[in-house]
Amino acid sequence: MKLSRRKVLALGAGFGAAALTGLSTSGIAFADEAATQAAIDAFAAGAEVGEGRISLTAPEIAENGNTVPISVDVESEMTEADHVAAVMILASGNPNPGVITFNFTPMNGVAAATTRIRLAKTQDVIAVAKMSDGSVFMDKKLVKVTIGGCGG
Amino acid sequence: MATKPRVKVPKKAAAGDVITIKTLISHAMESGQRKGKDGNLIPRKIINKFTAEFNGATVFSADIEPGVAANPFIEFNVKVMESGTFDFKWLDDDGSEYTSSKEIAVE
Amino acid sequence: MIKVGGIFAAVGIAAMLASLVSPALADPDNNQLIIEGELIVTDVAAPDSSPLDHIYSGWRFRSPETQSLQMDDFENPGFVAVDAAAETWETADGSEGKSCASCHEDVSSLAGLRAELPKWDEATNKPATMENLINRCRTDRMGAEAWGWEQKEMVNMTALISLQSRGMPVNIQTDGPMAEWMEKGKDLYYTRVGQLNMSCSNCHEDNYGNQIRSDHLSQGQINGFPVYRLKWAGLGSIHRRFKGCMENIRATPFKRGSDEFIALEAYVASRGAGLAVETPSVRN
């Protein structure tokens, strides 16, 4: 079917307004790249941030940013001499990038953890692992956050 | 309002097994970013720390910020070598402490 | 394909739906809902009275991540409410010093109840919802104060009692004294209201399976209520959801517990006859 220009315009106006009222984020400053980078730098404590070893699992599209399941998994023997000390999760597009830091011990056997996080909008979720020797590894995933047309 | 936490720990395991522990606590995790009906910011009130101990030694902990969803869910693993007791602790911004304990028999 | 009926084409709504509703994610998926080893039926042939051929639980329209939250009773955050209600069940309240357990003993004695609600109630000469029945117990038998429709204790208790019927097919009376209420509910279901001039059927009958902006429209079935919605970060009642829908189409919502919503609940329940009770379900 063909839409007239008038219909399209009326539509845009109607649902634009509807969409706006669904958002509760207006007026909130979002974390910028600098804040995210600063958090990574503080966590890394001078170590070079490498790739690999850590893998972050997150949905490609989150149906609701209120509850987004994420998991991290780091390759490690988890011995006294060589284990993952901590994994920090950051949400680069949230008002504050910090989300959660998991502190591991060799008693964990494997360095893996799962939680549910909040994402204010579509953004990169970042996971940074710090090993017992001070080396640091990072992974990130883009999560698209949809804001429902009819969330009710 | 936080209520009794829910914790899932296997009742028994073989020595050397890596078990999965799941925890969930009922909590609004008020972020401090939301405005109330009066237009003022609702003060932050979240669970800011979770700790798991086994036979008195800390095996896992998490530092939590407002970016964690309401009713915080945390899943992690522990390699068990002996029978004993897990003690879990959640700390609220208001100073409250919620706890739960589970025993495991290791053969 | 975008479905545009003859009636639709005549009004502005057709343009609205045609452009908003994209067929990108058409149709429910084929995933199976298995909870604690038990297969929960999420689609069945539609009941005779239904205009649809086949009916689907809302679970089938959700993302794999949301679906998985309902597949494990520990991971399902709705169970926090069930746990809380289990304590309330045993706790005496009111002037008679009774708890729910004083009369009903184990809550499993109420298995099957949720699947039949709302059902005809001689005492009030109208259909009763679970909220109505709980409050009657509280005021008449316990001498306690009635709970508010959306009060936490009430929603939690409806979740605990409904859970006892999980897996049982919705089987609601539609004839006899219920027939009039079914007609009333049906009228409400098909009546366009609000500034957007839409009826329940515009989304949930004509366009289920399609996208409305970023939402994957379901058939609006209520077999999983009270539902844990990620948006609410908590459980909510059927009438809360109806109210939310009405607000979305810029209509003045009816009140929770009103005759209008009770009639609509009864009619919508009848459209889902045969689907399994899923409470507490998890949706976006």
Side-chain angles (χ1 to χ4, degrees):
Chain A
M1 70 180 284
K2 212 176 161 189
L3 291 172
S4 73
R5 182 169 169 273
R6 184 180 299 167
K7 278 176 180 168
V8 171
L9 283 177
L11 253 176
F15 257 71
L20 277 176
T21 54
L23 289 167
S24 56
T25 48
S26 54
I28 290 175
F30 287 97
D32 52 18
E33 276 180 41
T36 304
Q37 192 57 49
I40 296 171
D41 291 347
F43 185 76
E48 194 184 324
V49 179
E51 283 182 18
R53 288 192 73 172
I54 180 165
S55 99
L56 170 69
T57 307
E60 209 174 304
I61 299 173
E63 269 190 313
N64 191 303
N66 255 350
T67 307
V68 184
I70 59 134
S71 299
V72 284
D73 199 334
V74 191
E75 288 170 34
S76 168
E77 293 296 315
M78 293 305 276
T79 60
E80 273 304 326
D82 178 14
H83 60 270
V84 179
V87 171
M88 176 177 69
I89 307 293
L90 298 171
S92 59
N94 274 5
N96 297 307
V99 176
I100 191 167
T101 301
F102 303 114
N103 303 301
F104 294 97
T105 67
M107 287 181 73
N108 293 119
V110 296
T114 298
T115 190
R116 298 170 187 164
I117 70 172
R118 289 171 168 153
L119 297 176
K121 58 176 184 178
T122 296
Q123 58 183 281
D124 277 330
V125 178
I126 298 166
V128 197
K130 182 153 59 182
M131 306 299 172
S132 52
D133 65 2
S135 60
V136 174
F137 299 88
M138 186 173 105
D139 190 19
K140 65 178 175 186
K141 287 272 153 38
L142 177 68
V143 180
K144 290 179 188 149
V145 176
T146 60
I147 294 170
C150 245
Chain B
M1 288 296 290
T3 53
K4 225 168 47 179
R6 306 184 85 216
V7 178
K8 191 173 186 179
V9 177
K11 286 191 173 62
K12 55 185 179 184
D17 277 0
V18 175
I19 61 162
T20 299
I21 294 179
K22 296 178 181 186
T23 71
L24 195 155
I25 186 165
S26 168
H27 198 285
M29 296 292 283
E30 192 58 61
S31 67
Q33 300 281 347
R34 293 198 316 146
K35 282 179 180 169
K37 283 185 179 141
D38 59 3
N40 295 323
L41 281 181
I42 304 169
R44 178 185 130 152
K45 187 182 182 298
I46 66 165
I47 297 285
N48 59 54
K49 180 93 185 171
F50 167 75
T51 312
E53 290 182 1
F54 184 62
N55 291 342
T58 298
V59 292
F60 177 88
S61 70
D63 303 306
I64 302 170
E65 301 196 50
V68 168
N71 305 322
F73 171 88
I74 297 177
E75 178 182 321
F76 59 98
N77 303 92
V78 175
K79 188 174 184 176
V80 287
M81 304 304 292
E82 57 180 354
S83 298
T85 306
F86 283 101
D87 292 299
F88 306 98
K89 195 163 72 182
W90 292 257
L91 283 181
D92 193 303
D93 274 349
D94 70 5
S96 310
E97 200 174 286
Y98 314 105
T99 59
S100 176
S101 295
K102 292 276 176 196
E103 297 201 350
I104 184 167
V106 174
E107 291 153 2
Chain C
M1 281 297 292
I2 295 164
K3 287 184 274 185
V4 181
I7 297 169
F8 265 158
V11 288
I13 196 82
M16 171 174 285
L17 283 172
S19 65
L20 284 172
V21 174
S22 87
L25 258 173
D27 299 333
D29 65 28
N30 288 314
N31 294 346
Q32 281 197 326
L33 175 56
I34 297 169
I35 306 177
E36 307 288 311
E38 187 194 352
L39 177 69
I40 305 281
V41 171
T42 53
D43 73 273
V44 289
D48 291 343
S49 59
S50 171
L52 306 169
D53 294 331
H54 211 78
I55 54 174
Y56 299 91
S57 157
W59 184 83
R60 295 277 291 276
F61 297 86
R62 302 280 51 94
S63 74
E65 291 81 15
T66 308
Q67 286 182 337
S68 79
L69 289 175
Q70 199 187 317
M71 298 181 76
D72 177 315
D73 284 350
F74 188 87
E75 301 200 10
N76 180 342
F79 273 81
V80 170
V82 170
D83 283 356
E87 278 190 30
T88 310
W89 181 266
E90 305 282 346
T91 308
D93 193 10
S95 59
E96 304 303 305
K98 286 183 184 170
S99 70
C100 306
S102 307
C103 296
H104 298 286
E105 297 181 1
D106 193 273
V107 66
S108 62
S109 64
L110 296 181
L113 177 65
R114 171 64 171 84
E116 301 174 343
L117 294 177
K119 68 175 179 186
W120 187 252
D121 180 24
E122 292 294 343
T124 54
N125 210 31
K126 61 186 220 182
T129 65
M130 192 180 287
E131 289 88 349
N132 297 142
L133 297 175
I134 289 172
N135 267 344
R136 183 172 327 145
C137 272
R138 288 186 57 78
T139 55
D140 295 6
R141 294 199 198 178
M142 297 167 70
E145 272 184 40
W147 281 330
W149 201 271
E150 209 67 44
Q151 191 178 329
K152 202 165 190 173
E153 288 80 358
M154 174 64 94
V155 180
N156 292 355
M157 189 57 73
T158 60
L160 173 69
I161 297 172
S162 300
L163 171 65
Q164 311 309 314
S165 306
R166 189 166 68 181
M168 296 181 181
V170 171
N171 181 20
I172 177 178
Q173 187 193 349
T174 55
D175 55 4
M178 288 297 286
E180 188 191 334
W181 287 76
M182 289 294 160
E183 279 306 310
K184 190 173 167 183
K186 188 177 179 180
D187 277 352
L188 289 165
Y189 192 89
Y190 286 102
T191 303
R192 294 171 178 276
V193 290
Q195 287 178 322
L196 299 190
N197 196 32
M198 291 169 80
S199 68
C200 307
S201 63
N202 291 157
C203 285
H204 299 293
E205 181 174 314
D206 304 329
N207 279 293
Y208 72 85
N210 291 331
Q211 296 284 122
I212 185 157
R213 289 186 71 231
S214 59
D215 255 1
H216 194 197
L217 281 170
S218 75
Q219 290 181 342
Q221 302 288 0
I222 56 173
N223 53 308
F225 279 78
V227 58
Y228 186 97
R229 282 192 74 201
L230 304 182
K231 174 180 169 165
W232 296 336
L235 281 182
S237 70
I238 295 165
H239 294 193
R240 179 177 179 187
R241 193 64 188 85
F242 287 165
K243 187 169 169 284
C245 269
M246 291 190 78
E247 283 163 355
N248 281 337
I249 55 171
R250 306 288 178 264
T252 305
F254 301 111
K255 295 223 174 336
R256 294 181 178 102
S258 62
D259 283 357
E260 287 86 355
F261 273 171
I262 291 173
L264 189 59
E265 178 180 338
Y267 176 67
V268 174
S270 77
R271 292 175 67 104
L275 285 175
V277 173
E278 270 178 43
T279 317
S281 63
V282 182
R283 303 286 186 262
N284 59 321

